[in-house]
Amino acid sequence: MMGIVIPAHNEAERLAACLQSVRSSMRHLATHGIGALLVVVLDACDDGSADIARAHADQVLEMDARNVGQARRAGALRAIELGADWLACTDADTQVPEDWLHGQWTCGADVFCGIVRVDDWGDYAPEVVRAFHASVPQDGHPHVHGANLGLSRQAYLQAGGFMPATAHEDVGLVRRCEQAGLRIARRIAPCVV
């Protein structure tokens, strides 16, 4: 079984679309005979995210840490506790493709590092946009995005899981996976928006 972990801090505007896309990917995965469980971790939310999460998720955890590392860790541990063999992570402001979960499940490695595509650059400076598009990603890329990350339960536990951090908790986990000699699939597909 796969466990999907999504931390959220005041994401009411985007959370429903995210969770609907994840549910679509879960239905696709089920056609391959694989079950999944969706865990949303609400961290210091006061904007209506809780109602949205409860309408779509199998498990909703609430905390007041204001710490994405702690939120991801809590969600991962709950998914493992409920029997997940694989943890798939994304963010509450993303949308995943239908084959997202199946692509991770069949990656043939202990860890899946995918890429993201940004559709709305909002207030980002032009130099940030240029830097993001400076190279064309290909399989074997060096990127780590918590919005498109997955790993086996065994790999997660062996590497010590997500550490409390307000940023880069995903990078730290993947570095520890590398140091442990785990197999990492760095793929451009499936891509998360």
Side-chain angles (χ1 to χ4, degrees):
M1 177 179 71
M2 294 188 79
I4 301 101
V5 178
I6 303 175
H9 171 68
N10 288 343
E11 291 289 354
E13 286 185 34
R14 295 183 180 98
L15 186 58
C18 170
L19 299 179
Q20 288 165 4
S21 73
V22 170
R23 281 287 176 194
S24 176
S25 189
M26 291 169 73
R27 286 189 295 276
H28 177 75
L29 185 69
T31 67
H32 296 278
I34 304 160
L37 171 80
L38 174 53
V39 180
V40 175
V41 184
L42 303 169
D43 189 4
C45 292
D46 59 11
D47 70 339
S49 292
D51 292 335
I52 297 164
R54 287 188 190 97
H56 297 279
D58 299 305
Q59 293 276 306
V60 177
L61 307 178
E62 293 190 57
M63 61 187 342
D64 191 19
R66 293 182 185 269
N67 185 293
V68 68
Q70 286 182 341
R72 283 197 204 277
R73 184 177 189 85
L77 292 176
R78 176 61 61 90
I80 289 169
E81 182 181 285
L82 294 172
D85 298 311
W86 184 271
L87 301 171
C89 299
T90 195
D91 292 338
D93 62 350
T94 66
Q95 291 187 37
V96 304
E98 185 179 65
D99 65 345
W100 179 61
L101 292 171
H102 188 256
Q104 286 195 19
W105 185 262
T106 60
C107 74
D110 303 305
V111 181
F112 173 88
C113 288
I115 62 168
V116 298
R117 186 180 83 238
V118 179
D119 276 358
D120 180 4
W121 285 98
D123 296 330
Y124 284 95
E127 57 270 14
V128 173
V129 178
R130 280 192 299 277
F132 186 87
H133 294 293
S135 66
V136 177
Q138 55 188 323
D139 284 348
H141 65 83
H143 307 291
V144 176
H145 300 285
N148 194 2
L149 176 66
L151 64 168
S152 71
R153 173 182 57 211
Q154 182 179 347
Y156 181 82
L157 295 173
Q158 183 177 342
F162 289 110
M163 295 295 153
T166 56
H168 309 299
E169 76 292 344
D170 46 359
V171 174
L173 176 58
V174 172
R175 281 190 184 139
R176 292 191 309 280
C177 288
E178 290 169 338
Q179 292 165 352
L182 297 171
R183 294 169 300 142
I184 301 175
R186 296 178 176 274
R187 306 272 171 79
I188 61 168
C191 178
V192 169
V193 178

